[in-house]
Amino acid sequence: MRFFYCLFILTTAYGQYRPIEHVRPLIGTQDAGHTYPGATLPFGAIQLSPDTDTIPFAVNGRYQPDVYRYCAGYQYNDSSIVGFSHTHFSGTGHSDLGDILIMPNTGPIQWNPGTSAEPQKGYRSKYSHQEIANPGYYGVYLDEPKVFAELTTTTRVGVHKYRFDAQEQTHLILDLTHGIYNYEGKNVWCFLRVENDTLITGYKQTNGWGRTRTVYFAIATSQPISTYHIKDIRPSSYKGFWRKFDTENNFAEGAGQGIKAALFFGAANTLELRVAISGVSIEGALLNLKTEAPISDFTAYQSLAQVQWEKAFSIVENAEFLSLEDAVNFYTSWYHTLIGSTIYMDVDGKYRGLDQRIHQADGFTNYTTFSLWDTYRAEHPFLNLFYPEQNASMIESMLQHYNQSVHHMLPIWSHYANENWCMIGYHAVSVLADAVIKNNPYLKHTKRYLDAAHSTANQRFYEGLGAYLDDGFVAEDVSGSSVSKTLEYAYDDWCIAQMAKKMNNDSLASYYLKRSNNFKNVYDAGSGFMRPRMSSGAFKDSFDPLSTHDQGFIEGNAWNYSFYAPHAPYELIKLMGGDQKFITHLDSLFTMDLPDAYFAQTEDIMREGIIGNYVHGNEPSHHIPYFYNFTSQPWKTQEKTRLILKDQYGETSTGMGGNDDCGQMSAWYIFSALGFYPFAPGATYYCLTSPLVKKATLQLDNGKTLQISAPENSSKNIYIQRVFFNTKRLTSPFIEHEQLLMGGSLVFEMGPRPNKNAFQNK
Amino acid sequence: MRFFYCLFILTTAYGQYRPIEHVRPLIGTQDAGHTYPGATLPFGAIQLSPDTDTIPFAVNGRYQPDVYRYCAGYQYNDSSIVGFSHTHFSGTGHSDLGDILIMPNTGPIQWNPGTSAEPQKGYRSKYSHQEIANPGYYGVYLDEPKVFAELTTTTRVGVHKYRFDAQEQTHLILDLTHGIYNYEGKNVWCFLRVENDTLITGYKQTNGWGRTRTVYFAIATSQPISTYHIKDIRPSSYKGFWRKFDTENNFAEGAGQGIKAALFFGAANTLELRVAISGVSIEGALLNLKTEAPISDFTAYQSLAQVQWEKAFSIVENAEFLSLEDAVNFYTSWYHTLIGSTIYMDVDGKYRGLDQRIHQADGFTNYTTFSLWDTYRAEHPFLNLFYPEQNASMIESMLQHYNQSVHHMLPIWSHYANENWCMIGYHAVSVLADAVIKNNPYLKHTKRYLDAAHSTANQRFYEGLGAYLDDGFVAEDVSGSSVSKTLEYAYDDWCIAQMAKKMNNDSLASYYLKRSNNFKNVYDAGSGFMRPRMSSGAFKDSFDPLSTHDQGFIEGNAWNYSFYAPHAPYELIKLMGGDQKFITHLDSLFTMDLPDAYFAQTEDIMREGIIGNYVHGNEPSHHIPYFYNFTSQPWKTQEKTRLILKDQYGETSTGMGGNDDCGQMSAWYIFSALGFYPFAPGATYYCLTSPLVKKATLQLDNGKTLQISAPENSSKNIYIQRVFFNTKRLTSPFIEHEQLLMGGSLVFEMGPRPNKNAFQNK
């Protein structure tokens, strides 16, 4: 039996298909997108996906740059699959996870994965993209063991189905040493028990990006295990009295740093597995298994997964696009916004906290994976608008993180009960403020948010924050990337001020409002750029506004970062010389040429992720195209966002010019495609732009319906002529969150040329 | 302020003191006793004791023989103390533990312990035995930091009090890398949090004798911590983004393989600590702390500890001895019988099981540390007689171990949620059978004991058991120490038979009774010794009955092990040629000379632990002196046991000729000193012998009182003339368990010469 599938099942016009049928999880799986193609549910705890290589993060302490391609475990242009592991980040620029790898096999046991150059020397298999990836489902034909492998999932249980062509004895490799961004010593400990002939339990503990991370699991098999072998590939120098026994063959328990197992199942040629995970305990994994996937029935779980995805997509109805490609990009972006943060809690509400203790979630769902430097911009505002209950639970999870933090801080970049301290700022405060300001009805402990934000924003040990508190800016000789830090702290401080104001805490509001002006402290009127200062107060001597290398910035150069004051657009414009001068400057960002030498310093993105010197593949610029709305030329926002939507997103595996970053790139897409964007989360307004859709009906959580339409929209009619909200013409290129929540119709009149008076009521 | 204490506080006649005032925890702390001098409670989870060296178990995979002296962390003749750690075995011959070392210091931080040769090069201190050790209390003056350190404990919380002479700034070293039988790589992971200025939490996870062992802790300080430093002495090659910060100075969280901390407390010169541990979680440690030691009050905990020990000793009253030394040895032995197995459960009944899952103890106390090859002989029978409730809880703990065992076995040598597989046999069945046969009223699940025993005794993977099942003996070429294994399996099988009979399971009773005859299969009538056989069935060619080196035996030679059929004494006598021949043979065991070359092979004991070729320092011979009771010359039992009591036990630090082995040596002492001994646990009778006491009143758990007296007893009057139980003369040198439980008087008439008709009713 052989199965052949093409990469994308869609070959006809999009109108015939439901939203989830437009989703192509393979988008972004090549080069810098760092998405994974495997099976998961909305915010699912399991991300069951193929890994195509095993490049270590470091060898003898030396970073291996090639590992970067494998942040999500999979690269589309690889020709072999190592196996299927259960946890993956979506679109990150650093990595971890890849837990509990399973690979079907036939013939003699191969304990090692082999290499991509010589896959036959290990348990990995060549494959030829006889592969199908849909929301909640992934199937692939593995050429060498001749197995059709299918994956689906419940929230906490990965479900595998293997159909072997061969009649010979089949087996599975279970490799607990496998992992993403692996290195010698990352595996701290593994524990494995063959509880009976259809149940395996254990855990795996790692020291990686998450410094102290443990994944517990329970694996149920549809066929009885006939014989099995457990191997410790990194045996301890001390075996104790375990050396008395043959602990490799049919010995029911293994423990050590390097545990792998081979499981034989007799002659059965179809095998199903259910793999439950838990961050709490083996008991938790068993409870998740029993509750979510009590019996072996792959097809049933596949259907249930589809139902869940249908439900998640039911918010958007009757959307019309200008092309199939737009539909695919839109729905795939929507898909990616729903798999960034994930549930980190057992079915009984128990979860592991940052303090490594077990907590009980009281009236909320605990989430993990907060890539906040990225996601505060559009991803959380997106969730706050369309999935407010989930966003409120994420905020509650962040508050609990704060409660559990011995550093008394909200999360920076946290995953799986760990703070990994990646990137800068304290942008959780933006997520909190945005939800508070926008009256998210599901918020639980708003009073505590302000305490948490205030505490977070005053930890002197953190990344130059002490100097910032003392001097109003981070000095470059105190803490690197000092300008980026100063600018982002200032924005975050403004967010706290908004929250404080809303809560009638005037003194904190005024304190943080004052701090939010600190962005001015790093503006160099001489060069016209934000520029690093030294402890002395003087600007740093050498300065190259195109460079991102040790110039006071991170993931962006002075050109891009100098536009970073989302909370004070008019003040920034004034600072930079007023409307006309600012527009000229902003125009040049998009038109200038960034020489290759500078591009090489630009982390995380492909050459495609850039327009002029505007870097869409990294996040600090995401609000910049909308800056024209604050000038006399808002039509340039419309022009730029339409350009970016077409230029920076594509329907193939290389369809992302930079890391999706847990949905941030995708959320930017959706907002921009719908015609509005949260320029400054924490503020109540959105910037309007030219929508990509012709129409879309959005079912809001409050029961209202928001109808977006742009009847004349086309690839030429990209300019807004007029906008009507519930028949009333809008007189500025902004719309309020409250307006959107009222529901009704948002009608864009479109045309081929800018209407310079589009928002003037005449 | 200086404190001077002599080693032993007792200088006057024993009669003036209560039992616990006779206890000298320092007995056995030099050479092979492997006891520890520190503070603990009866069966206490905390054993807070000084460690005097840090010799590793192995260096580059090579065993370091010197480590053996440090099984309990302390050697009396060492001159420096490394620090105080919270977990210790009592008297074992292999080791682990030594968790959470704390050492007071002054002056600059020293991160390493230094060496015994150069203590000043580390944080350890010289000391000069200005030291006091009582049940539940230990105090010592540390010469170098000039600190008087005192330790006491609740069941789960170690309490420290440090009084510094110096006015200079004092600090504590907290070394999570310290451990007993340590080696590079034993520390799997450490986690440490400074929760606030008086609370530290964390855990430590090791891979040692216990393969997967984690100790969680919470440390409360009486003075606020002013500054602190956390160091990772084995930093991972990957630090992630933690390298952004100074994580060594006042940074509240540390994690890694090699975590140590230095805690400063300002100028306070008295400091108290409460250190709670848990096998479950940090929450468990915090709960134990809050429940057992909620406030800082060293003196109160010291008094409570004393009360608990008084209560434990209240079983024995008005005892009279022939000398102070006898009293000291008797009560110290009694003390040691109560610290072998220890509570392994939080105050709320949660405990970690062998399956590494958290369980709730339902109606019992969960215990750990079962050195069953040793303790089935006299320690458990002792507990079963005098502490039946605790022994029943231990049995329930063993049953739960079985329930949690993926190998479906009762414990062999288990500690801290681990089976370490040390030594041979499956002697848990003896402990179960003994309690069942003797109608221990606290037993809970007697029906399940038989299932557990039956399962345990049929695991073919275990130590030649497959061959034993097939052939009736373990062949030496199949599994080493084959004779010892065969003999012990046969005895264990007899125990199962007794239990089955009691439960009216005739078929199992008869099956195991048949198996219990297997001891005959390794008897070589030609040599007159038990002798290893090969798979062929033939006896192994080369054979030296004095040697223990690869001769089919373990911790005993053929001479000693040939007497090992405690369940079939008369059959063994018959096998070995009948009464007279047997007596002659047995006599020679005690009188022959064991040449030094053979002694060198005799593990675990000092030259003193031996009488002729009778090795009291190892356990396989413990029943042998009582074998005369089954011959026509029972007075020789009286002669031998009196000799052993005086010869093999002493009141000094070198007072033990071999490892105490979790109380087995001590339990032998108590039984023998009281005049009776459980020759074959699982049988209802005890062998009578010449008591060492003149009198003793024993308060039995059933409310009855048993009065033992031997009015004419003296160092000369060592022979029993007649014995009366409740005025009725005994006609055999045996007494039934049921008789003892009736209470009343057991009167020994003593004389200077054997009464060869002592048990003949004329």
Side-chain angles (χ1 to χ4, degrees), chain B residues 687-703:
Chain B
C687 288
L688 291 174
T689 190
S690 165
L692 189 69
V693 297
K694 284 191 81 166
K695 76 172 196 198
T697 306
L698 300 160
Q699 296 296 347
L700 301 178
D701 181 80
N702 61 8

Side-chain angles (χ1 to χ4, degrees), chain A residues 57 94 189 193-195 205 207-209 212 236 238 241 244 283 357-358 404 406 420-421 423 463, chain B residues 57 94 189 193-195 205 207-209 212 236 238 244 283 357-358 404 406 420-421 423 463:
Chain A
F57 172 68
H94 198 87
W189 199 248
R193 277 162 65 106
V194 182
E195 302 276 353
Q205 183 182 354
N207 165 225
W209 201 16
T212 293
S236 155
Y238 175 66
F241 295 94
K244 285 178 171 184
E283 300 92 302
R357 302 186 203 162
I358 306 307
Q404 296 149 9
V406 81
N420 64 38
W421 301 113
M423 291 306 292
E463 294 261 74
Chain B
F57 172 69
H94 198 86
W189 199 248
R193 275 163 67 106
V194 182
E195 303 275 354
Q205 183 182 354
N207 165 226
W209 201 16
T212 293
S236 155
Y238 176 66
K244 285 178 172 184
E283 300 92 301
R357 302 186 205 164
I358 306 308
Q404 296 149 7
V406 79
N420 64 39
W421 300 113
M423 292 305 293
E463 294 262 75

Side-chain angles (χ1 to χ4, degrees), chain A residues 532-577:
Chain A
R533 288 174 68 179
M534 306 302 281
S535 302
S536 66
F539 285 106
K540 188 165 175 276
D541 273 348
S542 65
F543 177 58
D544 179 347
L546 284 177
S547 172
T548 55
H549 188 67
D550 283 343
Q551 292 294 328
F553 302 91
I554 185 166
E555 295 205 16
N557 56 20
W559 256 101
N560 281 278
Y561 253 111
S562 292
F563 292 103
Y564 192 89
H567 58 298
Y570 295 112
E571 281 172 278
L572 185 71
I573 290 168
K574 198 171 148 199
L575 204 62
M576 293 175 85

Side-chain angles (χ1 to χ4, degrees), chain B residues 2 13 24 32 116 143 167 170 183 186 337 339 356 373 381 427 476 516 544 557 576 606 648 684 698 702 730 739:
Chain B
R2 272 177 167 271
R24 299 185 183 179
S116 51
D143 293 350
Q167 296 304 311
T170 57
Y183 66 97
K186 181 177 175 186
T337 63
I339 64 171
Q356 300 304 310
W373 182 80
H427 300 300
E476 185 64 15
S516 77
D544 178 348
N557 57 19
M576 293 176 85
M606 306 300 293
Q648 297 288 307
T684 55
L698 300 160
N702 61 8
L730 298 184
Q739 289 177 285

Side-chain angles (χ1 to χ4, degrees), chain A residues 31-264:
Chain A
D31 299 332
H34 292 186
T35 52
Y36 62 84
T40 192
L41 287 190
F43 312 113
I46 287 270
Q47 307 89 32
L48 177 51
S49 191
D51 294 334
T52 60
D53 217 331
T54 55
I55 289 187
F57 172 68
V59 174
N60 298 327
R62 285 184 71 116
Y63 172 65
Q64 306 289 300
D66 284 349
V67 74
Y68 181 69
R69 290 161 47 77
Y70 295 95
C71 281
Y74 181 96
Q75 276 290 335
Y76 186 76
N77 51 351
D78 283 345
S79 58
S80 64
I81 283 176
V82 177
F84 307 102
S85 70
H86 291 75
T87 54
H88 294 84
F89 290 126
S90 181
T92 57
H94 198 87
S95 208
D96 203 340
L97 315 182
D99 301 299
I100 314 157
L101 182 118
I102 290 176
M103 183 65 177
N105 232 324
T106 54
I109 299 171
Q110 285 177 301
W111 287 110
N112 293 311
T115 61
S116 51
E118 296 183 299
Q120 74 284 1
K121 292 205 170 162
Y123 60 68
R124 81 170 74 199
S125 168
K126 285 177 96 60
Y127 80 119
S128 344
H129 289 295
Q130 297 174 46
E131 184 180 32
I132 183 164
N134 288 325
Y137 176 84
Y138 176 87
V140 68
Y141 187 80
L142 300 171
D143 293 350
E144 274 150 11
K146 297 190 174 62
V147 175
F148 182 57
E150 294 179 284
L151 311 174
T152 188
T153 179
T154 70
T155 298
R156 297 165 181 88
V157 185
V159 186
H160 306 231
K161 182 171 189 174
Y162 298 113
R163 280 181 268 178
F164 294 82
D165 290 3
Q167 294 305 310
E168 55 185 314
Q169 205 181 37
T170 57
H171 68 271
L172 293 184
I173 294 292
L174 166 62
D175 191 344
L176 298 183
T177 74
H178 175 86
I180 293 170
Y181 270 44
N182 234 348
Y183 66 97
E184 183 73 26
K186 181 177 174 186
N187 259 35
V188 169
W189 199 248
C190 311
F191 183 72
L192 186 72
R193 277 162 65 106
V194 182
E195 302 276 353
N196 59 50
D197 68 358
T198 57
L199 181 66
I200 294 174
T201 62
Y203 64 80
K204 174 193 172 175
Q205 183 182 354
T206 57
N207 165 225
W209 201 16
R211 188 166 68 169
T212 293
R213 196 175 65 87
T214 305
V215 184
Y216 301 87
F217 60 86
I219 304 174
T221 66
S222 64
Q223 301 286 338
I225 301 165
S226 53
T227 59
Y228 56 95
H229 312 278
I230 299 175
K231 200 175 177 69
D232 187 355
I233 60 159
R234 288 193 208 98
S236 155
S237 64
Y238 175 66
K239 279 230 157 230
F241 295 94
W242 293 81
R243 61 177 181 252
K244 285 178 171 184
F245 312 120
D246 169 7
T247 52
E248 291 206 351
N249 300 299
N250 301 310
F251 194 79
E253 191 177 304
Q257 285 200 323
I259 297 295
K260 304 185 181 202
L263 311 169
F264 286 78

